[in-house]
């Protein structure tokens, strides 16, 4: 089954404790992206990757890192999480930029 | 930069009522336009899309037409069902002008009552 898999689905952590949210797709898509969803703000793009080893900032990249060492994986790293990063996070992949996006189930992160 | 403005919600309708959710966009190039739907507790999934002016996307009784002259992509359905209750997002992406960037509206929550 074609899918985008995020882990974990739920995470509660403390300020400053590094964490990684994993994202994997099995569709051989070139393009992957991370978003955060906040009430009243819709979806905002954090980082995206056009292909392996090619990443770039979206609209709200501060406090986040990403890497794309393999085509299927695109982890989101929070080196020192802060409470304002409490949000619902989505990973998505597409055949290429500009085409239909397939989304993961989401990761609800709470930073206390 | 590119932007998407969606009709503010929430929207509450009775079953079998007509639905219109307005979406207008600002873009420097000629983007592809999308409507995504998010059911409770789930990720977004594509509802329909249009890639050029005057294209009409349709799926599950929903329709939207890419109107370049009014920079709009309004979502319509003639008769909504309770199962259509969800959050709807309008989005654009332009590979040629702004490769990699995707812009979403704020989302419109639709509740359909029996």
């Amino acid at each position: 089954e074609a899918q985008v898999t995020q882990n974990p689905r739920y995470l509660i952590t403390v300020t400053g404790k590094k964490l990684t949210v994993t994202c994997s797709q099995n569709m051989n898509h070139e393009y992957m992206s991370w978003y955060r969803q906040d009430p009243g703000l819709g979806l905002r793009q954090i980082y995206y990757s056009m292909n392996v080893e090619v990443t770039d900032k979206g609209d709200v990249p501060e406090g986040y890192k990403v890497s794309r060492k393999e085509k299927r994986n695109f982890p989101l790293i929070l080196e020192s999480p802060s409470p304002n990063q409490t949000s619902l996070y989505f990973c998505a992949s597409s055949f290429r930029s500009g085409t239909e996006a397939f989304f993961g189930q989401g990761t609800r992160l709470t930073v206390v | 930069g590119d932007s998407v403005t969606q009709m503010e919600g929430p929207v509450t309708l009775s079953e079998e009522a007509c639905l219109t959710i307005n979406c207008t966009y600002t873009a420097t190039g000629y983007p592809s336009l999308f409507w995504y739907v998010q059911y409770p507790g789930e990720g977004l999934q594509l509802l329909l899309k249009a890639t050029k002016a005057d294209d009409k996307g349709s799926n599950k009784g929903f329709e939207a037409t890419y109107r370049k002259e009014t920079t709009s992509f309004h979502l319509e359905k003639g008769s909504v069902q309770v199962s259509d209750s969800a959050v709807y997002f309008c989005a654009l992406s332009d590979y040629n002008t702004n490769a990699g960037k995707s812009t979403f509206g704020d989302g419109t929550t639709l509740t359909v009552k029996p």
Side-chain angles (χ1 to χ4, degrees), chain A residues 57 74 80 89 94-95 104:
Chain A
K57 297 176 181 179
F74 190 46
S80 183
Y89 291 87
S94 305
F95 171 67

Side-chain angles (χ1 to χ4, degrees), chain A residues 3-59:
Chain A
Q3 59 185 4
V4 178
T5 304
Q6 288 179 235
N7 280 297
R9 292 288 310 277
Y10 302 92
L11 179 59
I12 301 174
T13 191
V14 296
T15 298
K17 184 176 181 182
K18 180 179 178 180
L19 67 91
T20 299
V21 183
T22 64
C23 174
S24 180
Q25 51 95 2
N26 63 0
M27 294 168 278
N28 202 36
H29 284 166
E30 286 187 353
Y31 178 83
M32 298 186 74
S33 185
W34 276 102
Y35 301 88
R36 59 179 289 173
Q37 183 179 12
D38 301 290
L41 297 175
L43 249 66
R44 293 180 292 168
Q45 193 174 32
I46 303 171
Y47 269 95
Y48 60 90
S49 170
M50 301 284 275
N51 214 324
V52 175
E53 301 291 3
V54 181
T55 62
D56 208 345
K57 297 176 181 179
D59 296 318

Side-chain angles (χ1 to χ4, degrees), chain B:
Chain B
D2 296 348
S3 67
V4 173
T5 302
Q6 268 184 251
M7 163 182 173
E8 286 189 22
V11 174
T12 302
L13 296 173
S14 297
E15 207 164 22
E16 299 185 4
C18 294
L19 169 71
T20 299
I21 300 177
N22 291 333
C23 172
T24 57
Y25 68 89
T26 303
T28 52
Y30 300 95
S32 295
L33 302 176
F34 306 86
W35 276 101
Y36 290 90
V37 58
Q38 182 182 30
Y39 298 104
E42 297 184 11
L44 284 71
Q45 55 186 275
L46 180 72
L47 181 59
L48 53 84
K49 67 181 181 183
T51 58
K52 61 183 188 298
D54 299 325
D55 267 2
K56 177 187 279 189
S58 61
N59 186 25
K60 299 181 181 179
F62 291 89
E63 292 183 341
T65 302
Y66 190 142
R67 301 280 188 208
K68 187 168 177 294
E69 64 276 13
T70 55
T71 61
S72 64
F73 192 54
H74 305 321
L75 182 67
E76 299 177 325
K77 188 175 186 183
S79 175
V80 295
Q81 306 300 312
V82 172
S83 57
D84 293 328
S85 299
V87 182
Y88 293 82
F89 290 92
C90 184
L92 70 82
S93 185
D94 189 345
Y95 178 80
N96 292 314
T97 303
N98 207 2
K101 286 293 192 78
S102 294
T103 303
F104 285 75
D106 290 349
T108 300
T109 300
L110 170 67
T111 302
V112 180
K113 299 193 170 181

